[in-house]
Amino acid sequence: MSFRPDIGTMPQELRMPQELRERLAPGGVLRAGINLSNFLLVSSRTPDGGPAGVSPDMARAIADTLGVALRYVPYESPGLLADAAARDEWDIGLIGAEPQRAEVISFTPAYAAIEATYLVPAGSRFQSPAEVDAAGVRIAVTGRTAYGLWLDRNIAHAELVRSTTMDEALADFSDKKLDALAGLRPRLNSDVARTPGTRILDGQFMAVQQAIGVPKATSDAVAYLTKFVEAARSSGFVADLIRKHGVEGLSVA
């Protein structure tokens, strides 16, 4: 599978100027920040232990389109990837677009989306995600995820019980007898299978918008990367990547 809307074949107004390309990929190497904790976007490893999946393939396609080499810069969580934006550790970051992160990262439109909802005890009174934000309700959530940051901004009445990892959030939900566990639906599908007496609410409280980000210092590259994302979606390339990696729960934005 390949996707290469070669810069040289694009209309002149859509080509990335050489000076901007050199700033985006210094020394002819594009450093791509990859969030290893998102199992939908990094679904496996290469024989040498590198990241493999939809987001590494998107980064590869961008590098090929620009005609530069690629180096993956992996992070164990999206929060760590976002923190590195101001430290010149990566040139593009494949991460959920979120207003708090947008303070230091400029984003393209999303290329993929992931639904977020709640896991609740089987006997819970809640039938929809909107009902969960109520006084006295305690929600387990993995902090600094895109959906966790959304809850930070939007939950008005319930209490958020934050943890560092998704496994810790599940343990909090079970051990502390919390009212709900927030998460990405594909992950919750596996959590409900190993947590008897629970169910997943229909609907969503938000959808994580997976995008291409660049540090603010190179925000002028976003217009060109936006054209790439639009072409990757409309050509079927993103859909092909999702099928190639057999990912369930990830959709084309």
Side-chain angles (χ1 to χ4, degrees):
M1 179 189 307
S2 64
F3 176 69
R4 189 185 174 97
D6 197 296
I7 293 295
T9 66
M10 285 185 171
Q12 183 65 41
E13 65 272 16
L14 300 185
R15 298 178 191 174
M16 180 174 285
Q18 182 64 26
E19 184 272 336
L20 178 56
R21 195 181 319 174
E22 290 174 354
R23 286 199 295 114
L24 182 63
V29 178
L30 183 70
R31 300 169 299 170
I34 302 292
N35 169 28
L36 297 179
S37 70
N38 192 319
F39 63 97
L40 297 180
L41 295 174
V42 181
S43 50
S44 61
R45 294 290 189 272
T46 60
D48 62 0
V54 173
S55 64
D57 280 359
M58 284 289 288
R60 168 59 62 190
I62 293 171
D64 288 349
T65 298
L66 295 176
V68 297
L70 175 68
R71 178 164 67 86
Y72 296 125
V73 184
Y75 295 90
E76 294 299 326
S77 73
L80 293 176
L81 194 161
D83 288 344
R87 298 199 298 266
D88 191 30
E89 293 183 8
W90 49 264
D91 304 308
I92 62 170
L94 293 96
I95 188 175
E98 198 282 329
Q100 184 173 323
R101 294 172 184 166
E103 295 176 5
V104 293
I105 300 172
S106 297
F107 289 103
T108 67
Y111 64 88
I114 312 170
E115 189 176 83
T117 185
Y118 297 109
L119 177 76
V120 298
S124 172
R125 70 182 187 274
F126 301 128
Q127 300 300 317
S128 71
E131 297 172 6
V132 176
D133 186 13
V137 173
R138 295 185 299 163
I139 303 170
V141 60
T142 306
R144 304 195 69 193
T145 55
Y147 60 86
L149 293 172
W150 187 94
L151 292 174
D152 287 342
R153 294 192 311 276
N154 290 278
I155 288 295
H157 307 290
E159 175 189 353
L160 296 176
V161 180
R162 299 174 183 84
S163 62
T164 303
T165 68
M166 295 177 188
D167 286 341
E168 290 174 1
L170 176 61
D172 282 346
F173 170 75
S174 299
D175 298 343
K176 298 178 181 179
K177 308 299 183 185
L178 303 185
D179 301 286
L181 168 65
L184 302 177
R185 183 176 292 279
R187 165 64 192 233
L188 295 180
N189 286 338
S190 65
D191 288 341
V192 74
R194 56 178 174 158
T195 312
T198 61
R199 59 185 173 88
I200 298 174
L201 297 184
D202 292 334
Q204 65 181 45
F205 60 80
M206 62 90 70
V208 178
Q209 303 293 305
Q210 295 295 327
I212 309 297
V214 297
K216 288 293 185 179
T218 50
S219 60
D220 46 350
V222 168
Y224 299 92
L225 293 173
T226 292
K227 296 298 182 183
F228 173 90
V229 168
E230 291 171 346
R233 291 186 315 208
S234 63
S235 69
F237 179 67
V238 176
D240 286 345
L241 286 183
I242 293 171
R243 285 191 291 269
K244 169 189 172 183
H245 293 286
V247 180
E248 295 183 3
L250 185 67
S251 59
V252 178

